Amino acid sequence: MIALFLSAFVTLFVVIDPPGCAPIFASLTPGASDRQRRAMAIRATVIAGVVLLLFALIGEKLLSTLGISLDAFRIAGGVMLFLIALEMVFEKRTERREGRAEEISKKAAEEQREIEDVSVFPMAIPMIAGPGSIATTMLLVSRSNGVEQSVVVIVALLAVLALMLAALLAAGAIMRVLGPKLEAMITRILGVLLAALAVQFVIDGITKAFNLA
């Protein structure tokens, strides 16, 4: 159970990427007060958590209704995660997130509105509960044997979401401590780990689909 928890925790931590979301959140809320920023951080984490838990609980039934096998989903999810890993290693993911943040900030500045609530979009969806994290959550739950292992995966998900909330609440301080160079190094290391995990998902899917084991 400990090994399963650590595996699920590392996988979800890499995909959801709390350290990577923190600077984006900070850049999206430059003029917000501490109270506003705290409220948006809590709201974003809760909404993303609800979305991920729903897919964790009913994702398998949804696939069955659509006529999609778990093995096919494992392979597709593995490919998606591998693409995310490549983007992390070559810093494309960070560039895309920063581009979204800059676009939203410019729009808010042009329209001269009050502080925009970014908790639902883009923070909860798609930055926290995006295609990669949804696919990963469903994959991990589908690989679990029995209720106990599924509960362990969900606990790992909740632990990562708790870290996400802590990262968003401390976004400004984290940016000052890490700095851009250290953040880039950590992102690349996590990207390599995610690539290996993604390949393992594909191997598992192919092995079970063609009864190679």
Side-chain angles (χ1 to χ4, degrees), residues 88-105:
M88 291 175 67
V89 172
F90 295 104
E91 295 188 322
K92 297 297 183 183
R93 193 184 190 195
T94 302
E95 291 176 5
R96 186 174 66 251
R97 280 179 167 176
E98 289 176 348
R100 287 177 184 167
E102 185 177 353
E103 183 180 346
I104 293 172
S105 297

Side-chain angles (χ1 to χ4, degrees), residues 95-159:
E95 291 176 5
R96 186 174 66 251
R97 280 179 167 176
E98 289 176 348
R100 287 177 184 167
E102 185 177 353
E103 183 180 346
I104 293 172
S105 297
K106 285 182 178 179
K107 182 179 178 182
E110 289 173 359
E111 295 178 357
Q112 295 181 345
R113 294 179 178 176
E114 295 182 358
I115 299 302
E116 184 177 357
D117 186 355
V118 298
S119 58
V120 178
F121 176 85
M123 286 310 304
I125 303 170
M127 288 190 177
I128 302 176
S133 54
I134 290 173
T136 303
T137 302
M138 291 178 64
L139 283 170
L140 290 172
V141 173
S142 68
R143 291 178 66 189
S144 302
N145 296 320
V147 177
E148 290 184 356
Q149 291 192 1
S150 297
V151 171
V152 171
V153 172
I154 292 175
V155 170
L157 172 62
L158 294 176

Side-chain angles (χ1 to χ4, degrees), residues 160-174:
V160 173
L161 290 174
L163 289 179
M164 171 62 75
L165 177 58
L168 296 184
L169 292 174
I174 289 176

Side-chain angles (χ1 to χ4, degrees), residues 18-20 22-23 171-184 186-187:
I174 289 176
M175 283 301 294
R176 288 192 295 270
V177 172
L178 288 181
K181 290 185 179 180
L182 184 58
E183 181 191 353
I186 294 173
T187 299

